[in-house]
Each structure stands twice: as structure tokens, then as C-alpha cells.
Amino acid sequence: MKIDLTDTTSSKINAALMDARRASGSTAAGMVLTLVIVTDEGSAYDALKAANDASREHPSRTLAVIKRAGRSPRARAETRLDAEILVGTDAGSGETVVLRMHGELAAHAQSVVLPLLLPDAPVVVWWPDNAPLNPAQDPLGALAQRRITDAVTAESPVGQLAQRAAGYTPGDTDLAWTRITGWRSMLAAALDQREVEITGAVVEGESYNPSVELLGLWLHNRLRVQVERVVTGGPGITAVRLRTKDGDITLDRPDGLLGTLCMPGAPDRMVALKRRDTAELIAEELRRLDPDDIYATAVRTPVDRLRERIAGVGHAGPGGTVEAAAPAAAEPEEPKVVEAAVAAPARVTAKLPEKAAAKKTAAKKATAKKTAPRKRSGQ
């Protein structure tokens, strides 16, 4: 059932929801929470589809807040609330209300949402993109017990982690963290099978992926070892290697579908590590509404704790210097340094020392003279 209300109010929307529920033969709400989605017209369809799929596991009232302040002075002066109500099969296992706020009303969305919240039920706010710097201080975020963001949609995904750490409040979480649940479970289960000493770790994944960074920071916090970050072509996280004296414990997933767990002295095993869609991620986040202390510890760890490596390049230490892969005997007193574009360009600020830069320039000139073509007679 679909009901369109133009230039309406929150009280009229509540009345329409009650009428729709009676028409469908169900007088009881039967919903466990209110999910508020703050989005725009471009992302509304995908976000609502994911929320409807997740509602089959968590029946909820979904409120999609779409702010349309208007571009012209006339449009901004017009204050209006339009609502689209979906009940029944069109709304999964709950109710969906799409709220389009025009004009000045867009700046006061919380006043429209508050009367529509289910009484005595938890509130979760989800920003599919364009999340505020501090979700807990946002007027809509202040209404919720749980606030969900997605760093991967930001202009600088890895840099977004620093903002999430700076504005963290208990109840905040990010879908970049939810995406590594399977990896964390598999690695923890592998270490439960035998007592081994982990001497180091390597996390391989595509560039500009905050999930790769969070997985490395989690390993660094839990194992207290140096973690190396290797940039690959993806998709997503491609492999994790835990260094031990007996050999590497490797969890490899090159195709984004199926992983292989390799342990010293044991046969290789295939494990399910499929990349999940947004509906599955939201459903997982709605299973727990208490603060995630493990996420808080990981996101608050500076990203520069990870060592960086790219194809043909050595390691980048905590200071952000990338050492070139070169023979150890070649001028050990002056380590060679190169500039590399890695997952977080802002943290790799390697520059050639003045002395090394002068030698490099001289070497280039000498090479250019040797390789310059000689003139032939008659040319």
C-alpha cells in the first residue's frame, strides 16, 4: 500500500499510518526499532532497498529524511513537508515513510522526525553518505542510541577515519568496520586452534579502502605487533598474513568471494568470505545497539602506526618515510627515499635529503650522457 501526502504535518502522517495498519488487518505495530535514514534523492532508492531487506530480520519503522532546501530564493522561502507512506510488501516487514522537507524546514528535520518515532523503542540513524563530522552532535543523531556512517563514501575514505576518531561518541559505528567482521572472526578462530607467537602481520588490500586500514589497526591493537600495509588491486581486502616462527598463517581472498585459510602443518581450507551487500551490513549493525568498544579502540589508533609497502617499494615506517628496495651494500649511510602514492597520501610525505637529492640529480645527468645517441657522419 502506498499513500502520498502533500504539504502535510507529522500528526497527519501518524494518522495515515494508523489507517494503513487497520486497512491491512494489523492493529499492532510489531516493530522493534526506528531506523532514520538521512540521504538525498540520488541515494534514497538504494538506501531504502537495503533498509527494507534488513527489516525482514529487524521489523522497523523506516523514516527516510530527504532535505530539499531549494536553490532559488523562492524555493527556499517555501516551507513544505511531503510524505510518501509505504506499508505491506512495499515496505519489507515494517513501515516506511519518505519525508521530503522543503525550504527552511530542512534545517529543522528533528522536529518532524521526533513525533514519528516509535514509543519506547530504540532509534538508529544511518547516513549512507555525507555524514556529519560529529554524528552525536547532529540534531538527528542526538535522538539515536546508535549512529551508522560509511567512510568509504567520503571524498577521502582513509582521512575520514581521523574525523570518526575525533568525534567518536559511544554508539557510533561505521560500515567500513562492519565489512571486516568475517575477517576478524576467521583470524580469531585460526589463532584459537593453536598457541603460537605472532611476530608480525601483513594486510593486503586496495588503495583508499578504510576497511583495510581498520583491519590493520585492529591486528596492531590486539596482537601488539608491527603491521605492514600492502597496496593491491583488490577487490577490497585480498589477504592477511600472520608471521610465526613455524610459518605464516594466511587468509587469502583474491576474488572477493571465497577465501583460503593456510596454516603451518595443516591442510588448506576453503572458507566463505563473500563481500556482503549493504542490506547485510545494516542487518548486522541492528543486531547490537550497545557501544562497540573494540571499534572505538581501533578507530582511535593513528593510521600512521601501519607500515606501508607498494610493488617495487620497501617499507614506510610510522614517520611516513618510504624506503626504496635497494641492495644493502649501496651507501648504507644515506638511505634512499622515494615518494609513493599509497592509501593515505597525507601520511606519506617522504622527501629526498639534500645530499641524497644532489647525488640523484648528478646520477641522472651521467646516465643521460651515456645513453645519448651519437651523431653519425652525414646526419
Side-chain angles (χ1 to χ4, degrees):
M1 179 183 298
K2 180 179 177 181
I3 304 173
D4 289 323
L5 299 176
T6 304
D7 196 7
T8 186
T9 62
S10 297
S11 59
K12 292 180 180 179
I13 296 173
N14 263 324
L17 285 170
M18 290 294 296
D19 292 341
R21 203 178 300 144
R22 292 193 189 96
S24 63
S26 175
T27 56
M31 289 169 283
V32 298
L33 58 89
T34 302
L35 176 61
V36 181
I37 305 175
V38 186
T39 183
D40 54 21
E41 292 287 359
S43 305
Y45 175 80
D46 292 335
L48 285 172
K49 185 177 184 303
N52 289 343
D53 292 342
S55 70
R56 303 186 188 282
E57 182 177 343
H58 309 278
S60 58
R61 173 176 289 181
T62 302
L63 305 176
V65 177
I66 301 176
K67 301 179 181 180
R68 306 181 67 176
R71 298 181 180 179
S72 65
R74 177 178 295 179
R76 288 191 292 269
E78 182 184 5
T79 301
R80 190 177 81 248
L81 172 63
D82 297 335
E84 181 181 336
I85 300 175
L86 303 174
V87 180
T89 56
D90 294 331
S93 297
E95 301 170 343
T96 299
V97 182
V98 182
L99 303 170
R100 291 182 172 87
M101 304 178 188
H102 302 262
E104 189 179 353
L105 187 61
H108 305 279
Q110 72 278 5
S111 63
V112 178
V113 171
L114 187 59
L116 299 176
L117 301 179
L118 291 174
D120 302 324
V123 179
V124 179
V125 178
W126 171 33
W127 291 269
D129 47 22
N130 300 321
L133 296 180
N134 193 329
Q137 293 183 2
D138 183 82
L140 285 172
L143 302 175
Q145 288 79 33
R146 193 77 163 159
R147 295 163 293 275
I148 305 174
T149 56
D150 195 355
V152 78
T153 62
E155 190 71 23
S156 176
V158 178
Q160 189 76 2
L161 296 181
Q163 296 181 357
R164 298 281 79 85
Y168 176 81
T169 302
D172 292 355
T173 190
D174 197 281
L175 294 185
W177 173 254
T178 317
R179 291 184 179 96
I180 63 174
T181 299
W183 288 88
R184 293 189 291 122
S185 301
M186 290 294 178
L187 293 171
L191 294 180
D192 283 343
Q193 297 180 21
R194 60 175 66 187
E195 293 186 4
V196 293
E197 181 182 356
I198 306 299
T199 59
V202 180
V203 179
E204 302 179 5
E206 62 186 354
S207 180
Y208 295 99
N209 190 318
S211 296
V212 183
E213 309 287 343
L214 282 174
L215 182 57
L217 296 175
W218 174 73
L219 289 172
H220 172 73
N221 286 319
R222 308 311 294 178
L223 300 177
R224 301 297 179 187
V225 297
Q226 183 64 60
V227 178
E228 181 181 335
R229 165 78 159 89
V230 179
V231 178
T232 65
I237 303 170
T238 54
V240 175
R241 309 181 193 280
L242 304 180
R243 308 292 192 192
T244 70
K245 295 180 179 179
D246 300 330
D248 291 354
I249 299 175
T250 304
L251 184 57
D252 189 20
R253 188 197 64 179
D255 58 358
L257 296 174
L258 199 63
T260 304
L261 179 62
C262 306
M263 301 181 65
D268 295 351
R269 285 176 291 175
M270 308 300 289
V271 295
L273 269 180
K274 174 181 172 292
R275 302 189 74 192
R276 297 178 294 169
D277 58 21
T278 306
E280 294 177 88
L281 301 177
I282 291 296
E284 178 184 331
E285 284 298 335
L286 296 181
R287 291 185 197 124
R288 57 173 299 171
L289 300 178
D290 55 320
D292 192 340
D293 296 332
I294 305 300
Y295 163 73
T297 303
V299 77
R300 285 172 170 172
T301 304
V303 180
D304 58 10
R305 294 286 182 90
L306 305 181
R307 294 166 61 89
E308 199 81 36
R309 178 159 60 90
I310 315 176
V313 180
H315 303 284
T321 300
V322 182
E323 299 178 0
E331 300 182 2
E333 71 282 357
E334 294 179 2
K336 295 182 180 180
V337 188
V338 297
E339 295 182 354
V342 292
R347 88 168 175 263
V348 179
T349 55
K351 294 182 179 179
L352 288 171
E354 294 181 2
K355 201 171 181 181
K359 284 191 174 183
K360 184 176 180 182
T361 304
K364 283 185 177 180
K365 290 181 179 179
T367 304
K369 288 182 180 179
K370 289 181 181 180
T371 58
R374 296 181 179 179
K375 293 185 178 180
R376 297 181 181 177
S377 60
Q379 288 185 346

